[in-house]
């Protein structure tokens, strides 16, 4: 059993049948592109597996959603990984850096992901439309993420921000939020 498979079983994360095959393809592409373009800080397969686990752990507590946006997807964390785990959800991956956006576009094509759309823009440049779920990891502080997300929120939109321990310094009582603590991550879930 692969290390990633063990982590998924250990955390009771249920993924589609083809997830492992697609994630292996993704990891191969990431490893190849990362050598040339330095897309992510995760350099070893163990680090990449940890990033993947970190990205999909929220599917254990998120409700089903039809339409999601990931702000600042980078090399695919969490948006691309969530798209692989949730094929019934349409993901818009927003990544302004062209080398990362090109990588995401290549992964989308190579893995034949019909539920992914890549936008090589900043979130501020996108036209306003509502999403059921907005995610972001390691982009900026919560206050700025709330501003960036505002044009894409409707009543009931969920905001899922992947944070560290400092998340408690970034929240106040005006937010309807829950913090889910995991081993290496704090997930800030805000309901609009």
């Amino acid at each position: 059993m692969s290390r990633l498979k063990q982590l998924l079983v250990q955390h009771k994360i249920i993924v589609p049948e083809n997830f492992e095959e697609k994630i292996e393809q993704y990891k191969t592409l990431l490893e190849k592109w990362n050598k040339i373009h330095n897309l992510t800080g995760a350099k070893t397969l163990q680090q990449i597996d940890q990033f993947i686990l970190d990205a999909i752990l929220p599917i254990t507590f998120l409700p089903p959603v039809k339409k999601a946006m990931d702000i600042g997807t980078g090399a695919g964390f969490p948006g691309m990984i969530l798209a692989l785990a949730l094929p019934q959800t349409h993901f818009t991956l927003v990544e302004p850096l062209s080398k990362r956006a090109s990588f995401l576009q290549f992964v989308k094509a190579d893995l034949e992901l019909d539920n992914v759309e890549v936008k090589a823009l900043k979130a501020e440049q996108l036209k306003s439309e509502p999403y059921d779920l907005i995610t972001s990891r390691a982009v900026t502080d919560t206050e700025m993420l709330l501003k960036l997300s505002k044009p894409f929120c409707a009543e009931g939109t969920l905001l899922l921000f992947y944070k560290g321990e400092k998340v408690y310094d970034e929240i106040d009582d005006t937010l309807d939020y829950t913090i889910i603590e995991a081993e290496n991550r704090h997930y800030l879930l805000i309901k609009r």
Side-chain angles (χ1 to χ4, degrees):
M1 188 184 302
S2 73
R3 182 179 184 281
L4 181 60
K5 175 87 172 168
Q6 288 174 327
L7 290 170
L8 295 175
V9 169
Q10 177 187 336
H11 293 280
K12 298 177 177 68
I13 300 171
I14 298 164
V15 290
E17 209 171 285
N18 67 352
F19 179 80
E20 283 180 74
E21 177 191 328
K22 293 222 184 256
I23 212 73
E24 286 307 316
Q25 286 177 265
Y26 166 81
K27 285 164 60 173
T28 300
L29 292 171
L30 179 60
E31 201 173 21
K32 194 157 114 184
W33 279 62
N34 209 26
K35 285 177 185 163
I36 301 160
H37 300 289
N38 193 26
L39 301 173
T40 178
K43 303 293 183 211
T44 68
L45 287 175
Q46 188 173 350
Q47 287 173 318
I48 292 169
D49 282 349
Q50 195 57 53
F51 274 34
I52 292 167
L53 175 67
D54 182 58
I56 64 169
L57 195 70
I59 67 172
T60 62
F61 60 79
L62 283 174
V65 292
K66 285 187 170 57
K67 197 171 154 188
M69 170 193 278
D70 185 38
I71 297 174
T73 305
F77 306 108
M80 183 63 79
I81 309 303
L82 286 169
L84 291 169
L86 301 169
Q88 74 286 2
T89 302
H90 183 273
F91 278 85
T92 300
L93 308 181
V94 182
E95 177 48 57
L97 283 181
S98 60
K99 65 180 181 179
R100 290 179 178 156
S102 295
F103 170 71
L104 296 171
Q105 197 64 50
F106 189 84
V107 170
K108 169 193 162 66
D110 198 59
L111 274 59
E112 299 176 352
L113 301 174
D114 296 334
N115 66 326
V116 171
E117 181 180 9
V118 178
K119 298 283 189 180
L121 301 166
K122 291 182 175 184
E124 304 92 318
Q125 297 171 298
L126 293 175
K127 80 175 177 75
S128 174
E129 63 177 291
Y131 286 83
D132 304 317
L133 173 68
I134 300 170
T135 61
S136 189
R137 175 186 175 272
V139 171
T140 186
D141 64 40
T142 301
E143 185 179 346
M144 187 60 173
L145 284 172
L146 289 169
K147 284 180 189 163
L148 290 172
S149 301
K150 193 172 184 177
F152 311 105
C153 289
E155 191 176 334
T157 295
L158 293 174
L159 305 173
L160 175 63
F161 301 147
Y162 292 62
K163 294 291 191 174
E165 293 174 4
K166 293 185 178 170
V167 66
Y168 293 101
D169 301 334
E170 297 183 12
I171 50 174
D172 61 49
D173 293 340
T174 63
L175 299 173
D176 179 8
Y177 72 91
T178 305
I179 295 174
I180 296 94
E181 292 185 21
E183 193 176 327
N184 300 311
R185 174 72 57 203
H186 290 64
Y187 300 94
L188 175 59
L189 187 61
I190 301 169
K191 188 172 184 182
R192 288 313 214 184

